[in-house]
Amino acid sequence: MSEIAARYRSRAEIFAAKVAAVRPEQWSNPSPCEEWTAREVVGHIVDMHGVMLRPLGRSLTPAPTVEEDPLTAFVCARADVEALLSDPVTAAREVDTPTGRLSVEQHIDQVVSADMVLHGWDLARAAGQDDTIDPVEVKAMWPKAQQIPEEMRTPGAFGPGIVVFGPEVKVPDDAPLQDRFLGLLGRDPHWSA
């Protein structure tokens, strides 16, 4: 298993555990993502799994919808992406992405795999779960977070209705690294419903 596939698997396990821990009455809770409920956070992650398949002319395998069964919808989408990562030829294939040509596995690593870390925090906040992000993840992702180009904060830069990152939320320089990381990604680390 490649390092990227192992990282994806670890992040997916953590995200799946958060989805599984959401109680039925919490699915309509607001999340730190403006205009998204807890269910819609999971829907976004499932949709982004489908986006990873599109450059290969594929789509998600038919499965229950996020409205019907959020956990099963995620597990099925995850299986589709893990199938790409487990095939060395497919994983290495170069595809066109909004940020240029990348291998399939690089695209997955930079988009949906990383998304699960941030949106795992969103889901945890929405459902009142432990929202601690693995400090190793935060430390590893911190350098790139400090270099987010302005176009990534511009609504619609990658298509109608697409917002990649919101405006930076100012956080004190002496705040914990997770808080500073979240602020750079457009999250208020003290957000509550």
Side-chain angles (χ1 to χ4, degrees):
M1 177 182 299
S2 74
E3 181 181 333
I4 287 175
R7 182 166 43 245
Y8 171 87
R9 178 173 286 177
S10 173
R11 290 170 172 174
E13 287 294 326
I14 292 167
F15 191 79
K18 291 179 186 309
V19 175
V22 177
R23 296 188 310 272
E25 71 274 11
Q26 294 176 317
W27 283 115
S28 60
N29 287 2
S31 82
C33 296
E34 287 185 27
E35 302 175 17
W36 283 359
T37 63
R39 186 182 305 273
E40 289 165 329
V41 170
V42 178
H44 169 73
I45 290 295
V46 170
D47 290 346
M48 291 308 295
H49 278 70
V51 169
M52 299 300 98
L53 302 174
R54 280 188 211 141
L56 298 168
R58 300 181 190 181
S59 56
L60 293 173
T61 302
T65 67
V66 173
E67 284 297 320
E68 296 166 336
D69 185 343
L71 181 59
T72 301
F74 172 70
V75 168
C76 292
R78 173 186 173 183
D80 287 339
V81 167
E82 285 190 320
L84 301 180
L85 292 172
S86 68
D87 177 351
V89 173
T90 302
R93 182 174 161 190
E94 286 200 348
V95 293
D96 291 317
T97 76
T99 57
R101 281 191 73 72
L102 297 171
S103 70
V104 168
E105 70 175 359
Q106 288 171 323
H107 192 211
I108 290 167
D109 194 44
Q110 291 178 19
V111 180
V112 76
S113 184
D115 247 16
M116 288 189 291
V117 175
L118 179 58
H119 290 305
W121 182 84
D122 293 326
L123 184 60
R125 272 292 163 124
Q129 300 173 11
D130 179 3
D131 65 0
T132 304
I133 300 171
D134 180 341
V136 173
E137 287 278 24
V138 175
K139 188 174 179 181
M141 296 174 83
W142 174 246
K144 282 192 177 181
Q146 292 177 290
Q147 300 171 2
I148 294 173
E150 199 51 43
E151 73 173 329
M152 299 287 263
R153 296 187 190 279
T154 305
F158 294 96
I162 297 175
V163 176
V164 181
F165 296 109
E168 180 180 346
V169 174
K170 296 297 182 191
V171 175
D173 292 340
D174 61 350
L177 186 59
Q178 175 173 307
D179 289 1
R180 289 180 282 146
F181 171 69
L182 290 165
L184 283 177
L185 299 179
R187 298 294 193 278
D188 176 355
H190 302 293
W191 181 92
S192 63

